[in-house]
Amino acid sequence: MTTAPLEAPLDAHPDAHLGAEPPAGVVTDDVVRRSLHTVLDPELDEPITELGFVRSVRVARGAVDAGATVEVHLRLPTSFCSPNFAYLMASDSKDAISAIPGVGTVIVELDDHHDSGLINAGLAADAGYRGTFRHEAEDSLDELRGTFRRKAHTAAMERCLTGLLRADRDLPEEELGRVRLGDLPAGREKDALLRRRSALGLPGDDGAPVLVDAEGRTYPEEAVPLALRRARSTRISIDGNAHFCRGLLRTRYEGSGTDQAFRPEGSEPADQHGLLNLTVKGPHS
């Protein structure tokens, strides 16, 4: 049983190194998790595997012709996370697993969400987004994906340009409008920006300007500082939501923090330390 893809999953994360490659056609837990690494939370712009959203993976090998049966359970930070986001991640997960050679049956279920029954039934019936939510599906998934792709690009662009300002304290903000991709230092942030640009169909050659809107339009010099501040607010929003949601998941599911990967973007020194032990004293102690 496979799902007719609504759309291709969001751009794949390149840091998938989840184990050695098994023999061709052999489906393992590791292979399934590798495929799930390509599924992103659209709002947080992170793989669901790094967020700790993958609760369990079970692979059962059936008859050779039937292929393996894969059952995956997902979990989210709250029971009231946006249903369309939840559906999108669950649907993308099913599509990603269905594309693995040797997989015959795919079961993806979302646990502990107020719409779990609706979403899981829609996935099982391959009903699609509108078939699952019917009259409640006001917006298309294409529109939702497009919105968050634009936000992800804006945040990645800001991280790169702010990195230049930190490296050169005398660099005027207005000069950032003339920065080209070839001027950016190689590394994780530039790679992330290039992936976001590719998702939007923007050029990725060294001569392409960095500070552009989602359609590739540049800004006049006097508008650069304001454009940078707007981009910064988008980046801060994504970073803040990511840290908030990670914390909520750890609170909701004991031990789930071990399933989360360290997130360098927007991290604070306190992220790498535990909480201080506090002693609450009574009024007469």
Side-chain angles (χ1 to χ4, degrees):
M1 179 172 61
T2 60
T3 302
L6 292 165
E7 303 128 288
L10 289 174
D11 40 328
H13 195 282
D15 303 326
H17 301 292
L18 301 177
E21 197 71 36
V26 176
V27 182
T28 64
D29 289 11
D30 190 61
V31 168
V32 174
R33 289 183 182 277
R34 192 193 302 272
S35 73
L36 291 173
H37 202 66
T38 66
V39 179
L40 303 184
D41 180 303
E43 184 180 25
L44 308 182
D45 195 34
E46 287 187 71
I48 60 173
T49 48
E50 295 192 354
L51 288 162
F53 290 177
V54 179
R55 189 174 199 172
S56 65
V57 172
R58 189 174 71 88
V59 177
R61 293 175 181 79
V64 174
D65 293 341
T69 296
V70 178
E71 181 174 349
V72 168
H73 284 256
L74 303 179
R75 61 189 174 190
L76 295 175
T78 71
S79 65
F80 49 86
C81 287
S82 172
N84 52 2
F85 290 0
Y87 175 84
L88 191 150
M89 287 184 277
S91 176
D92 282 354
S93 296
K94 188 169 183 178
D95 291 344
I97 298 167
S98 298
I100 300 173
V103 169
T105 301
V106 180
I107 301 169
V108 174
E109 294 198 341
L110 177 64
D111 296 342
D112 309 328
H113 189 273
H114 76 275
D115 267 342
S116 282
L118 184 66
I119 291 172
N120 293 340
L123 290 171
D126 291 337
Y129 177 62
R130 294 190 182 280
T132 298
F133 289 100
R134 299 183 181 279
H135 65 281
E136 296 182 61
E138 297 176 352
D139 300 319
S140 73
L141 287 182
D142 285 341
E143 183 176 341
L144 184 68
R145 289 180 194 276
T147 297
F148 285 106
R149 277 179 175 153
R150 291 191 289 273
K151 287 188 175 184
H153 163 254
T154 299
M157 181 176 66
E158 191 274 342
R159 289 189 186 101
C160 288
L161 293 176
T162 296
L164 294 182
L165 290 176
R166 286 173 177 162
D168 182 359
R169 300 288 181 179
D170 297 325
L171 179 63
E173 285 187 340
E174 291 79 2
E175 294 292 322
L176 295 178
R178 288 195 279 271
V179 173
R180 305 286 164 168
L181 287 175
D183 299 324
L184 297 177
R188 189 173 187 272
E189 292 184 343
K190 181 177 180 179
D191 292 342
L193 175 61
L194 292 175
R195 291 197 302 276
R196 306 313 176 218
R197 289 177 70 107
S198 176
L200 292 176
L202 299 176
D205 59 276
D206 282 351
V210 173
L211 185 62
V212 295
D213 65 15
E215 284 71 43
R217 294 184 292 251
T218 57
Y219 296 88
E221 185 174 303
E222 65 275 14
V224 167
L226 181 57
L228 186 64
R229 281 164 175 74
R230 287 175 173 167
R232 187 161 297 148
S233 69
T234 298
R235 189 266 300 166
I236 290 172
S237 174
I238 292 174
D239 287 346
N241 284 337
H243 287 280
F244 184 59
C245 290
R246 281 166 167 265
L248 285 175
L249 188 80
R250 293 195 296 270
T251 301
R252 190 180 190 199
Y253 296 101
E254 185 176 0
S256 61
T258 58
D259 294 329
Q260 295 178 332
F262 174 68
R263 186 180 197 276
E265 287 83 5
S267 64
E268 301 293 341
D271 294 337
Q272 302 174 45
H273 299 280
L275 298 175
L276 295 175
N277 291 323
L278 297 177
T279 300
V280 180
K281 296 183 177 180
H284 303 296
S285 60

